[in-house]
Amino acid sequence: MNSKTYKYIIAFSILALLIVTGLLLIRNPAETENIPVNKNQSVIEDYRNSGDRYPGNSSQVIKEAGMVPVYGNWRTFTTKDGLPSDKAYTVRIDGDRVLVGTHDGMAVYENEKWKTYTTKDGLAHNGVVSVDVDELTGDVWIATLGGLNRWSGGKFETFNQLNSGMPNDLVYNVFCYGAHIWVATGGGAGHYDTRTRQWEIFTEMNAPMHEPWTYALSAGDGKVWIAAWGGGVIEYNTETSQFRDYVDPDGFMEIDLQPDDGVIHDITTATAYSDSILWVSTYFGMSRYDGKNWKGYFDHDSGLASNFINFIRAEGKVVFVCCDNGLSSTDGTTWVTYKKDDDSENGKAIITYGTEKKEIPLSPSISHNFIIGVDACGDFLWAATSKGVCRGELIK
Amino acid sequence: MKRYLKLSITAVLILAVVALIYPPYSRWARDHVNKITATTDHPVRCGSCHLYLQKPGFISKLVNAEYHSPFNLAVSEDGRSLYVVAEESNKLLVVDRESRKITHEIGVGVRPHSIVIDRGGKTAYVSNQWSDNVSVVDLASFHVKEALKTGNGPAGIGLSKDEQSLFVVNSFSSDISVIDLKTSSERKRLTAGNNPTGLQSSPDRSMVYITSRRTLSKPFDDTIRCELTILSDGKQRISARKDIISAYMMENIAFTPSGDLALMPVVRPKNNVPTIQIERGWMMTGGIAVIEMKPEGRIAQLLLDEPNAYYADPFDISVTPDGKTAFVSHAGSDCISVVDIDAVREIIAGSTDELLEQYAHHLGISSRFVIKRIPTGANPKGLAISPDGKELYVAEHLDDRIGIVSTETLEMKERIDLGGPRRTTVNRRGRQLLNNAGGTFQNQYSCFTCHPDGHEDGLVYNMASKDMGRNMTNTQSLRNIGDTPPYKWNGKNQTVYKQDGMRFSTVLTRNEPFSYRDLDALTAYIMTGIPNPPNLLYNPAGELTDAQKRGKMIFERTHDFAGFEIPVSNRCVTCHPAPFFTNLQMVGVGTLAASDDSILFDTPHLNNIFASPPYLHDGRAATLEEIWTIYGKTEEHGAVNDLTKIQLNELIEYLKSLRDPDYEDGSNKTLKAAFGNK
């Protein structure tokens, strides 16, 4: 072979190498940031990020769904089954039992039976809107419309704005983070240190929120994210005790002028943090934040059931989204949305991947399209709706 | 002759001078003593005050002494050694049973409380109630290997079944530290009752039972209840919380070896009724709670008292290895009750729920199961039984001895002297009196009963007065009150002499009043001998947090946040100035109840106020917050209505930081020892 031939071979090899490298990079993008080490409560984070609560996925059966699980074989529970009220506000899976907050008390599903607890048993108020479980102690914390309860060893202990440092009795959300119990209330957010029994509360007086109405919060990796009504997301660093806020840079209430420039809207209803991703729900869409980049989702450009989102919960890579017109779930790319037909118990799971859609009929389906609460653990997904709670099983 | 004349004249002159001086001096001395004691017939004895009421210093060192005060103890597996927790000398004493001598004195933390030894007998863990840690003692070298950080006020202590974890009951923060012994760090904290102290594992080690002293917050005249907390050893989570009705001061618990019963000393106060009828047990009774361990098992309470004789302040309980006999130490009556457990089983098995409810009040029931009372030394506290079951060891707390009882003859057979000071100082005598029920009618209760550890029991009482059912009052602490007269909520007693003198015997003890010698001793102890624990939870080092500093500004402010001047009489700092946070004056704060006479209240001191719920004179405020959120709206108890919730919280944080002035100058020995024992 002459030298010209060698030159062509070398050039061709280099080009081939570049193409292969490029393909590899596209398929396996490098990490854009180091996942911060959680110095607080590593046991908690290990548990939360472990596979124990991570929902499985249905990719073996429904390839289109990818890593997003698909649930079927839905079963609905109402007052006929022992629920105290069909208006279910929240649901939380705690090992072998499920805790449901309703309009008329807290219902506990265990050994296929429902048992209800009300103010007669020591609940602060029968309107139970949020429940969380302290992973270390097993204590159940219950947010009600009239105070906060700790339920431990069968006994209720009440915290309210009169007998403690809690900011307000209208407790919308409770979140257990290490030794601290965080609450979002109508009069501010705050946390209770279970070891020193001290409250530290935040309102517009000492935090970057323009009013004290807070709806929900979540935490992870040393930070707490408060969904502040009309105030976007308030981030609190538990190590430095510093705040920062994330507000809609557009400033316009109805238009997402510049896509993906920040949180999608300031009327935030919930935050959820998992796998180093912060999810934010609003009444006007949903946002995803990886620490550097924001991504917004609307019902017209994604598989989101509706822009009006009541609540979200993230488990692993997947976030479950409670909308007023269905239950959605996504890993940011693929969507699985559950909707019930108006005139029957049936419905469907709509899988949206890219521009493609696939519908899987479900019979029965979820109990109602107005979803208020959700929790997923292992093979089960529970949803709290205005017509009872429903439970789906992972389609494998 | 001349010499005798000179001597006689000198003597006469001296006598004349004395005769001239003595009457006015005598009158002055009488007036002086009357004023100091607020009585009219206290003997004129200079030493009563000028020797025995001295603050720590040279004279105090001379007249007082440092005792060991054995509190709890454990026995080695081979029975050869006793490990004695010496509460006052801050030591673990290793005593050789054979020679009855102390072989080692190991310095541990401050106010050690309890001890547990691992199965191999290699390591002992000692909880230090005033250091907030546990000393880990190597029993081979008799040295402290390390100190494990706990919650506030560690008391009862126990090892998990696998001995990988240590459970420590934190009596001041009312929770349980679960400590990982591999990493020597606290893994989690679980809430437990109110002022919990005792801890014991069930015989199969599957469950851990924790007893509490104080009741759960309830309004006055509601039935009191005290929590027995049950923790799962494997899951290390609380599995149940049982309310023991009408009882409190549940210091310890023991199990029968078969595990069918758990036994717990209890005190049953009658605080909801006026204290006018002490006879027939209408002030306090004491007994044991018997818990059936089977599913749906019942909880019965059987009195250890008798119709005309009471056995105050039951403290510890130990069960023989054969499960037939239980021993209960009565710290207030200097004796041990011997309980026939089979007889107890018979009573429980043969009784309906209604009958058991009656037995909880029945003073005669003890005759069916108490087989003997064994006299002991002063203030018997912790008990331990030898591995062969033949000997019962008793920590004679205020005699510095270990009593040894034969479990066969049920007699005290010998004592081990721990080598404390031989003399009983006046202060020590006072402490013995405070802890002994001998001054009350039929020995029903001691000062300690309502003032455990010189503090307060968290209950509201209706003290006897001319009008029944009026003037309910919240028990007050006796800790470091020497500088804050007058006493009682209505300030009627200007001195402790008067507080514990004739009126005390008329109104409370219904017995002969203390002799003046005893009254002097009791007064000396109360005035100088009951310190406050350090406030390690909220203000360990005297450096306030930012929130506490802001709270301090609110506490000391002269103007509200709108800029208006707060009247001097309504500023916090006016009535509550440092160092004791009382101006010693009488004041009204708008908290009189319909059942109260129209009186002013003696401004209470606020040192360690975080440890004294409930609040206000009748205990109506369950928490500090409620003083203002519910009961302070009229602004007569400080100007607070302009405060935001954040500001009120900060004021509360500051109040929680208040501690005894003895710790303020940083030189306090106790605080140094607490920090030094890391």
Side-chain angles (χ1 to χ4, degrees), chain A residues 134-138 150 152-153 155 161-166 195-198 201 203 205-206, chain B residues 173-174 186-191 216 227 237 240-241 243 538 623 625-626 629 645-646 649 653 656:
Chain A
D134 185 331
E135 307 281 1
L136 270 182
T137 66
R150 169 170 37 200
S152 171
K155 202 182 268 186
Q161 64 190 44
L162 297 182
N163 73 3
S164 73
M166 202 169 75
R195 295 185 182 194
T196 63
R197 296 168 188 240
Q198 288 170 297
I201 64 178
T203 67
M205 306 280 296
N206 60 353
Chain B
S173 50
S174 297
E186 189 178 22
R187 185 184 304 127
K188 64 172 82 172
R189 189 86 62 89
L190 305 164
T191 57
L216 302 168
E227 183 177 297
R237 288 182 169 186
R241 299 177 189 275
D243 282 349
Y538 298 113
T623 63
E625 286 84 358
E626 286 188 5
T629 58
K645 195 71 206 296
I646 291 176
N649 283 359
E653 288 310 308
K656 286 182 187 172

Side-chain angles (χ1 to χ4, degrees), chain B residues 634-650:
Chain B
T634 59
E635 292 260 286
E636 289 171 78
H637 194 177
V640 293
N641 283 347
D642 66 315
L643 298 181
T644 64
K645 195 71 206 296
I646 291 176
Q647 288 161 341
L648 180 65
N649 283 359
E650 288 171 345

Side-chain angles (χ1 to χ4, degrees), chain A residues 190-256:
Chain A
H191 63 108
Y192 174 67
D193 186 331
T194 56
R195 295 185 182 194
T196 63
R197 296 168 188 240
Q198 288 170 297
W199 281 91
E200 185 179 25
I201 64 178
F202 306 112
T203 67
E204 76 281 10
M205 306 280 296
N206 60 353
M209 48 179 95
H210 74 285
E211 60 173 282
W213 199 277
T214 54
Y215 248 179
L217 29 72
S218 62
D221 288 339
K223 290 181 183 167
V224 176
W225 292 276
I226 304 164
W229 178 265
V233 174
I234 314 294
E235 176 189 282
Y236 177 76
N237 188 315
T238 60
E239 291 180 29
T240 62
S241 302
Q242 296 296 312
F243 282 100
R244 68 159 295 175
D245 59 345
Y246 301 96
V247 293
D248 181 1
D250 298 324
F252 292 98
M253 296 299 282
E254 301 295 332
I255 306 169
D256 188 31

Side-chain angles (χ1 to χ4, degrees), chain A residues 158-176:
Chain A
T158 298
F159 298 83
N160 57 46
Q161 64 190 44
L162 297 182
N163 73 3
S164 73
M166 202 169 75
N168 189 272
D169 285 351
L170 195 56
V171 189
Y172 285 117
N173 193 246
V174 63
F175 189 91
C176 300

Side-chain angles (χ1 to χ4, degrees), chain A residues 7-18:
Chain A
K7 278 181 193 168
Y8 278 127
I9 290 169
I10 290 165
F12 179 74
S13 302
I14 291 169
L15 188 62
L17 191 62
L18 282 170

Side-chain angles (χ1 to χ4, degrees), chain B residues 311-379:
Chain B
Y311 298 90
D313 304 327
F315 181 79
D316 200 2
I317 183 162
S318 259
V319 178
T320 52
D322 62 8
K324 293 206 169 293
T325 311
F327 298 92
V328 180
S329 59
H330 294 277
S333 300
D334 298 348
C335 75
I336 289 171
S337 293
V338 185
V339 172
D340 179 346
I341 299 182
D342 283 337
V344 169
R345 288 192 180 95
E346 211 177 295
I347 294 170
I348 307 285
S351 303
T352 59
D353 291 353
E354 290 73 27
L355 205 50
L356 284 180
E357 175 56 35
Q358 286 179 31
Y359 286 159
H361 308 280
H362 199 306
L363 285 167
I365 197 70
S366 60
S367 62
R368 289 175 57 180
F369 64 91
V370 174
I371 53 181
K372 192 161 184 182
R373 315 273 186 187
I374 306 172
T376 68
N379 199 226

Side-chain angles (χ1 to χ4, degrees), chain B residues 567-583:
Chain B
V568 173
S569 58
N570 207 24
R571 298 174 192 172
C572 307
V573 74
T574 300
C575 296
H576 296 287
F580 294 102
F581 300 95
T582 169
N583 60 357

